[in-house]
Amino acid sequence: MTQNTSHATAKRLPNFCAGPATMPTEVLERAQADLLDWQGRGLSVMEMSHRSADYVDIAERAEAKLRQLMNIPNNYKVLFLQGGASLQFSAIPLNLLGGGTADYLNTGAWSGKATKEAQRYEALGLGKINVVASGKASNFTDVPDIKDWTLSDNAAYFHYCANETIHGLQIFQPPQVGAPLVADMSSCILSQPIDVSQFGMIYAGAQKNIGPAGLVIIIIREDLVDKASEWCPMLLNYAHQIDKESMSNTPATYSWYLAGLVFDWLEEQGGVEAIGKINEQKAKLLYDAIDNSSFYANPVANAHRSIMNIPFTLADSALDKVFLQASEQAGLLNLKGHRDVGGMRASIYNAVSLDWVSQLVDFMQEFERKHG
Ligand SMILES: *Cc1c(COP(=O)(O)O)cnc(C)c1O
């Protein structure tokens, strides 16, 4: 093989994939430079023992950088585990239910799946799962009014999904319900500033805004971790994983390393507040393009329109295929909507630039001129 790996020739197309999502090019370049020989040690990060001093340093730096970016208080623990966000749907009730009742808000596909998993433990007698409200009546285009939620007294926790990736529905303010909030932030973590101290637990699969798949990050208030059921598998037990510093077994070492590089990159962009402003601009550009045309539409209630995942439909759905073919030909990747919702979806995570979004908007306007 010749050494023709120059980045100058690498083609990087605008990628709007919902997940695994596009990574910052600078991060991939850094990883490429380090791939064969990390910092002159003569081996790749993926070939290191997770117990080695070098790797432990990589892991600790990633955590420290995340703590700094999110301003995570000292009484919160951070875990880097495997199994994606979905395995947490099972881990959460096993760790936090403690024989009590948990409240679940159903606002779409992901919170629905989390609820279903939790309900398995109700069937086993480990506690009760109470669905406080469902957005199904609105086809998950709106969040039911908090006045209509049937909250339990003394819930062990309140679970919700802060950003429904499939439906493009976001809950921007943490619900004020009393119980410790457990939030699935897989598709919105690090996209804008949040106050971690308002949450009991935050979790996020990595492959949207953090890094490659194979990693889930958990941020949990330390007083919540002592209630695990005796049935909780060791690898899912938060207290155990805290004790083992996420290394009860071999962690997803390379994904963890790449997550650290993404955190460094985010800091170089000015941190979460700075990227949050860009994210708002990107979302506004795209929503304005949709709203200012009668050719495109987005059904989500204004107050809950996601700034990360923007589904849209065409006035004539017979044109969907044409749109997807033409956009791909124009070098705009992965705009097909989720099969549950149909139409198109643009996921515009941190690593999707404002320039990519304006290329998409230009394409949409051109397409409308041709076919509208
Ligand atoms: C992608 C996603 C998940 C599932 O993540 P996995 O890592 O595939 O388990 C869960 N919740 C939300 C909000 C997501 O966007």
Side-chain angles (χ1 to χ4, degrees):
M1 232 163 76
T2 56
Q3 283 212 316
N4 184 20
T5 50
S6 159
H7 328 313
T9 59
K11 183 168 76 173
R12 299 279 299 158
L13 294 174
N15 179 1
F16 301 95
C17 192
T22 194
M23 296 272 291
T25 300
E26 296 90 330
V27 167
L28 297 183
E29 285 173 346
R30 176 81 249 162
Q32 186 177 39
D34 284 346
L35 186 64
L36 300 181
D37 174 12
W38 182 82
Q39 312 250 318
R41 297 292 204 278
L43 79 175
S44 169
V45 172
M46 68 181 94
E47 301 165 315
M48 287 178 187
S49 164
H50 57 294
R51 312 277 181 208
S52 67
D54 278 343
Y55 189 79
V56 168
D57 189 53
I58 288 171
E60 286 177 356
R61 276 170 192 271
E63 177 180 334
K65 197 52 67 78
L66 180 68
R67 284 186 172 274
Q68 187 191 323
L69 285 166
M70 293 183 69
N71 203 7
I72 300 174
N74 287 335
N75 61 327
Y76 285 73
K77 299 292 185 185
V78 178
L79 295 171
F80 289 74
L81 303 181
Q82 302 189 49
S86 300
L87 194 55
Q88 294 309 310
F89 298 165
S90 308
I92 289 161
L94 280 168
N95 280 277
L96 305 182
L97 201 44
T101 300
D103 282 349
Y104 276 71
L105 176 65
N106 183 10
T107 53
W110 290 113
S111 54
K113 283 189 181 174
T115 307
K116 266 216 172 110
E117 283 300 297
Q119 283 165 339
R120 296 177 194 279
Y121 300 108
E122 183 169 54
L124 281 174
L126 294 182
K128 283 214 155 58
I129 302 302
N130 170 46
V131 179
V132 302
S134 164
K136 197 170 186 346
S138 76
N139 253 329
F140 302 115
T141 59
D142 204 353
V143 176
D145 194 320
I146 192 165
K147 291 196 293 291
D148 301 325
W149 299 358
T150 54
L151 297 166
S152 332
D153 299 329
N154 297 315
Y157 62 91
F158 175 96
H159 180 279
Y160 76 107
C161 178
N163 186 59
E164 289 282 1
T165 318
I166 292 173
H167 292 89
L169 180 86
Q170 191 159 357
I171 298 175
F172 292 94
Q173 295 305 324
Q176 302 298 309
V177 292
L181 296 177
V182 175
D184 179 354
M185 294 202 182
S186 294
S187 51
C188 61
I189 192 165
L190 294 166
S191 65
Q192 51 184 186
I194 57 161
D195 175 4
V196 173
S197 72
Q198 297 204 29
F199 296 86
M201 168 177 162
I202 291 166
Y203 65 107
Q207 69 273 25
K208 280 80 185 231
N209 240 352
I210 294 172
L215 184 71
V216 59
I217 289 181
I218 293 155
I219 301 164
I220 186 161
R221 218 175 63 207
E222 60 193 3
D223 61 287
L224 293 173
V225 300
D226 59 357
K227 278 195 292 213
S229 149
E230 60 180 303
W231 303 108
C232 183
M234 192 177 73
L235 290 182
L236 297 185
N237 186 303
Y238 298 145
H240 172 75
Q241 289 286 14
I242 288 167
D243 188 43
K244 299 292 178 194
E245 299 182 311
S246 304
M247 295 194 189
S248 173
N249 69 333
T250 315
T253 53
Y254 200 70
S255 293
W256 191 337
Y257 154 73
L258 284 172
L261 295 187
V262 171
F263 300 153
D264 291 342
W265 173 85
L266 187 49
E267 185 182 44
E268 284 158 21
Q269 309 309 302
V272 177
E273 200 166 307
I275 207 98
K277 295 212 171 90
I278 299 171
N279 286 334
E280 272 170 30
Q281 284 175 40
K282 281 153 46 185
K284 182 170 180 345
L285 187 62
L286 188 45
Y287 281 120
D288 281 352
I290 293 167
D291 292 344
N292 293 334
S293 98
S294 49
F295 189 74
Y296 299 105
N298 167 285
V300 178
N302 272 325
H304 292 292
R305 281 175 152 189
S306 170
I307 62 164
M308 291 279 104
N309 309 96
I310 304 187
F312 57 93
T313 52
L314 306 183
D316 175 7
S317 63
L319 283 171
D320 284 7
K321 267 207 174 115
V322 186
F323 182 97
L324 289 168
Q325 269 170 6
S327 56
E328 192 155 330
Q329 257 167 23
L332 305 168
L333 306 182
N334 290 310
L335 286 164
K336 191 174 183 351
H338 190 275
R339 59 190 178 280
D340 289 352
V341 172
M344 265 52 75
R345 172 176 50 170
S347 294
I348 54 173
Y349 301 118
N350 287 352
V352 173
S353 65
L354 183 59
D355 177 55
W356 282 4
V357 177
S358 57
Q359 285 183 47
L360 170 61
V361 165
D362 288 347
F363 171 84
M364 288 167 68
Q365 287 168 349
E366 180 64 26
F367 188 85
E368 179 175 357
R369 271 193 291 278
K370 265 194 208 144
H371 299 274

